[in-house]
């Protein structure tokens, strides 16, 4: 099944079921008023939502044209948002460029921070930020939306609680990050609101591209219309089972919690990157200095995970401009 959220006057928006080709949609609010409600009551609403989805895809239900411009993030807000750093190639490039000591237990314990989950951005919303001097950067990622996860769940049991897959852009303000990391308290101002592609999908929609707790799709990123990278999501050093179990080590995770992969990063330089910071550290390693600047107001970033051999993908497109905050 594929879902989106239509913007309305409520905090959580109105639930839509979207056709497999992303061409049509149907209002599903009679079954569940919002996607957050659906995830929180999954055992009750899954069957009628699947019946509606099958009817839409078969043509038995006509639906209406799907317009992602009118959509918010699939979950406009969430009980919890935790982002990992599951692609260790990215962390090791940072260590090499900045000559920092190795992070203890990097190979065995996932890195993760807890971000703001009260104000996610839609796929075509302008991204309003305070200053260009803050080092504005995009980070293309994948994520999962969870049902309830018990404390101390194993990676295998944790993976069974994945209800939806999402594509996201975890915006970063790089000039603020180093100071906040040195405090030992983690990110706050360095992590503004995260953006999401318009469509959340159940894992079965990806077929063989969802396996081993990983999204085996390329994430195509463009900056101001120019190709920036197309790294593959399958190269996660930690799968989602491991990430979820790490987050649930000392707490329960409530339904609607979102866990992210961190910026998608591959060992091959030929595929490019999913964030500016990674390109900059590669330039530092190769040339002794960073040559690429960060984003400026008016810049545009476009992201789309694509199915093999196709120019389309299951989540739709993130396509946004960075603007000056009032």
């Amino acid at each position: 099944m594929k879902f989106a959220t239509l913007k309305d006057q409520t905090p959580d928006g109105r639930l839509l079921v979207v056709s497999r080709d992303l061409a049509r949609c149907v209002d599903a609010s009679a079954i569940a008023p919002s996607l957050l409600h659906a995830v929180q009551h999954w055992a009750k609403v899954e069957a009628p939502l699947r019946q509606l989805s099958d009817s839409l895809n078969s043509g038995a239900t006509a639906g209406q044209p799907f317009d992602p411009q009118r959509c918010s993030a699939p979950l406009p807000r969430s009980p919890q948002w935790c982002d990992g750093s599951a692609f260790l190639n990215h962390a090791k490039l940072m260590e090499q460029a900045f000559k920092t000591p190795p992070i203890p237990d990097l190979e065995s314990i996932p890195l993760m921070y807890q971000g703001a989950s009260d104000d996610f951005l839609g796929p075509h919303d302008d991204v309003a930020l305070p200053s260009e001097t803050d080092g504005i950067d995009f980070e293309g990622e994948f994520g999962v939306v969870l049902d309830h996860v018990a404390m101390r769940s194993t990676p295998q049991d944790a993976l069974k609680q994945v209800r939806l897959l999402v594509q996201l852009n975890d915006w970063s303000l790089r000039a603020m990050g180093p100071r906040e990391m040195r405090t030992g308290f983690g990110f706050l101002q360095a992590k503004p609101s995260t953006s999401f592609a318009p469509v959340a999908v159940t894992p079965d929609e990806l077929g063989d591209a969802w396996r081993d707790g990983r999204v085996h799709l390329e994430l195509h990123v463009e900056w101001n219309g120019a190709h920036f990278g197309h790294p593959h999501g399958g190269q996660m050093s930690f799968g989602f089972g491991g990430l979820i179990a790490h987050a649930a080590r000392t707490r329960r995770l409530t339904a609607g919690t979102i866990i992210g992969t961190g910026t998608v990063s591959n060992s091959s330089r030929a595929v490019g990157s999913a964030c500016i910071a990674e390109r900059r550290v590669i330039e530092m390693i190769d040339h002794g200095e960073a040559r690429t600047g960060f984003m400026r107001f008016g810049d545009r970033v476009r992201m789309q995970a694509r199915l093999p051999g196709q120019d389309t993908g299951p989540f739709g497109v993130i396509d946004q401009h960075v603007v000056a905050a009032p």
Side-chain angles (χ1 to χ4, degrees), residues 6 12 70 76 84 94 109 121 139 159 209 211 224 248 285 288 297:
L6 183 68
D12 297 311
R70 301 178 61 196
M94 294 289 179
I109 301 178
L121 300 177
E139 288 192 51
L159 201 59
R211 62 184 187 274
N224 291 332
I285 293 167
F297 296 145

Side-chain angles (χ1 to χ4, degrees), residues 17-235:
V17 168
V18 183
S19 63
R20 191 160 287 116
D21 60 3
L22 307 187
R24 293 169 296 125
C25 65
V26 62
D27 190 322
S29 60
I31 301 172
S34 69
L35 186 56
L36 180 59
H37 182 278
V39 174
Q40 291 173 333
H41 302 83
W42 193 253
K44 179 179 179 181
V45 303
E46 180 186 9
L49 286 174
R50 189 168 295 280
Q51 184 178 15
L52 182 59
S53 175
D54 291 344
S55 179
L56 179 66
N57 283 305
S58 69
T61 296
Q64 59 188 358
F66 176 57
D67 183 4
Q69 296 276 352
R70 301 178 61 196
C71 290
S72 65
L75 290 179
R77 59 178 180 167
S78 165
Q80 184 170 208
W81 155 234
C82 296
D83 198 23
S85 184
F87 294 86
L88 294 188
N89 178 69
H90 179 75
K92 291 177 180 179
L93 284 171
M94 294 289 179
E95 288 180 359
Q96 183 179 352
F98 293 108
K99 299 179 173 59
T100 55
I103 298 172
D105 304 312
L106 181 66
E107 303 279 350
S108 57
I109 301 178
L111 299 172
M112 188 172 287
Y113 81 93
Q114 189 167 11
S117 62
D118 60 323
D119 185 31
F120 293 137
L121 300 177
H124 298 282
D125 293 344
D126 285 342
V127 183
L129 295 170
S131 173
E132 293 178 339
T133 63
D134 291 336
I136 303 168
D137 197 359
F138 48 79
E139 288 192 51
E141 308 185 13
F142 297 105
V144 293
V145 180
L146 303 174
D147 207 327
H148 298 280
V149 178
M151 186 191 306
R152 300 186 68 185
S153 288
T154 65
Q156 293 78 16
D157 287 340
L159 201 59
K160 296 175 184 176
Q161 301 309 108
V162 172
R163 295 292 170 258
L164 301 169
L165 309 177
V166 291
Q167 175 197 315
L168 60 105
N169 180 1
D170 185 43
W171 292 94
S172 291
L173 301 178
R174 299 296 185 183
M176 296 180 173
R179 181 211 167 264
E180 292 189 330
M181 287 188 288
R182 284 195 299 270
T183 68
F185 276 75
F187 297 123
L188 181 68
Q189 294 177 342
K191 287 294 185 178
S193 296
T194 302
S195 303
F196 286 78
V199 178
V201 309
T202 50
D204 58 288
E205 289 289 336
L206 295 193
D208 192 48
W210 171 249
R211 62 184 187 274
D212 305 322
R214 293 163 171 82
V215 177
H216 289 262
L217 297 175
E218 291 181 346
L219 183 56
H220 290 253
V221 181
E222 297 177 7
W223 180 12
N224 291 332
H227 176 265
F228 193 85
H230 57 279
H232 194 277
Q235 290 193 23

Side-chain angles (χ1 to χ4, degrees), residues 195-302:
S195 303
F196 286 78
V199 178
V201 309
T202 50
D204 58 288
E205 289 289 336
L206 295 193
D208 192 48
W210 171 249
R211 62 184 187 274
D212 305 322
R214 293 163 171 82
V215 177
H216 289 262
L217 297 175
E218 291 181 346
L219 183 56
H220 290 253
V221 181
E222 297 177 7
W223 180 12
N224 291 332
H227 176 265
F228 193 85
H230 57 279
H232 194 277
Q235 290 193 23
M236 290 171 68
S237 301
F238 299 96
F240 273 113
L243 293 182
I244 300 164
H246 176 74
R249 176 65 179 84
T250 60
R251 66 176 85 173
R252 296 174 296 170
L253 306 180
T254 60
T257 293
I258 304 174
I259 305 288
T261 61
T263 186
V264 181
S265 177
N266 291 177
S267 57
S268 171
R269 300 261 187 102
V271 302
S273 300
C275 71
I276 299 171
E278 183 168 295
R279 176 179 283 189
R280 285 170 58 88
V281 298
I282 291 173
E283 291 169 346
M284 292 170 64
I285 293 167
D286 291 349
H287 308 294
E289 62 178 358
R291 298 179 176 180
T292 302
F294 290 110
M295 299 185 79
R296 302 179 66 86
F297 296 145
D299 280 8
R300 174 187 177 193
V301 63
R302 187 180 191 275

